[in-house]
Amino acid sequence: MRIALFPLNTVLFPGGVLPLRIFEARYMDMVRDCMKSESPFGVCLISQGAEVGRAAATESVGCVAHIGAWDMQQLGLLNIRCVGGERFRVTERTVEANGLIRAEVTMLEADVDHGLAEEHRPCAALLQRVIADVKAEARRAADSDETVKLPFEPPYRLDSSVWVGNRLCEVLPVPLKAKQKLMELDDAHTRLQIITQYLKQHAVL
């Protein structure tokens, strides 16, 4: 499978919400083509370089992003809201004249969801509190005519080891390299074990 890549200083997880502000011409064209063909693009963490300018080097494992909504309230500035899909591994990449990266990718197997183990239920309870806090903040913002975008896409699958692990990885205050390693894991139970250990070490659980 061949897709366009968007190198970013973020790690996209399956099921994760990713809002983006697009202003570079190459990515404007990329988004237009994706919406026209109803196809996703790939998001990879930058390993060397920057989000703007010359094509950056990236990690080899990324996640496809499906465009869910968009608007252009200001000419030349496109806002899109994406949701993470399957993970993939880059096998070959080329850089076009405008700096857009296109890559041959192999899709990775989705994590097997065996449900939430009893030992990981405190993680789900923590995530439930985070969701409640975010919703409360969104209601307060609405009362003051502000807008708060919810960082999680419903349904909230608090009984799913995959969903709970991925959502906690997104909000953990850990380096991007650590988030990348967690995203690359192919076992949801192991991911939650690492998260649980981290939260206990920092007296969160």
Side-chain angles (χ1 to χ4, degrees):
M1 181 177 179
R2 188 169 179 81
I3 59 174
L5 292 188
F6 200 152
L8 291 170
N9 286 312
T10 192
V11 178
L12 179 61
F13 285 78
V17 174
L18 178 65
L20 291 172
R21 303 182 73 186
I22 312 292
F23 56 89
E24 286 192 90
R26 56 181 165 176
Y27 296 124
M28 287 277 200
D29 293 341
M30 178 196 76
V31 170
R32 178 201 63 206
D33 293 342
C34 287
M35 289 194 295
K36 184 182 295 184
S37 60
E38 298 184 346
S39 59
F41 58 91
V43 171
C44 287
L45 175 65
I46 292 174
S47 58
Q48 186 176 357
E51 291 184 347
V52 297
R54 296 178 59 183
T58 68
E59 299 289 339
S60 60
V61 176
C63 184
V64 298
H66 297 273
I67 302 170
W70 67 275
D71 68 72
M72 184 182 284
Q73 298 180 357
Q74 179 182 337
L75 187 63
L77 185 61
L78 178 64
N79 296 304
I80 62 174
R81 181 176 170 87
C82 306
V83 177
E86 300 169 274
R87 295 172 303 156
F88 61 81
R89 184 178 301 278
V90 175
T91 56
E92 183 182 344
R93 60 175 249 167
T94 57
V95 181
E96 298 182 346
N98 63 356
L100 182 68
I101 303 170
R102 294 196 184 274
E104 290 289 339
V105 302
T106 299
M107 292 300 171
L108 302 179
E109 291 288 334
D111 292 347
V112 177
D113 198 334
H114 295 294
L116 200 67
E118 189 64 32
E119 63 193 291
H120 297 145
R121 294 204 175 278
C123 289
L126 172 63
L127 183 59
Q128 190 169 27
R129 293 196 297 273
V130 171
I131 293 171
D133 289 345
V134 171
K135 285 184 172 181
E137 179 61 30
R139 286 193 294 269
R140 286 193 294 270
D143 291 340
S144 60
D145 294 328
E146 296 178 10
T147 300
V148 173
K149 298 284 190 181
L150 295 178
F152 304 125
E153 188 85 356
Y156 305 131
R157 298 171 56 209
L158 293 167
D159 59 346
S160 162
S161 60
V162 175
W163 195 87
V164 170
N166 284 343
R167 301 295 75 78
L168 282 175
C169 285
E170 291 166 352
V171 299
L172 284 179
V174 298
L176 288 172
K177 287 285 188 180
K179 293 193 179 193
Q180 176 71 23
K181 295 300 182 185
L182 287 166
M183 186 269 288
E184 291 181 9
L185 289 173
D186 57 6
D187 180 68
H189 181 80
T190 301
R191 187 180 295 114
L192 270 174
Q193 288 282 70
I194 295 170
I195 293 169
T196 300
Q197 183 179 7
Y198 173 88
L199 293 173
K200 286 182 176 179
Q201 287 175 345
H202 290 78
V204 178
L205 292 182

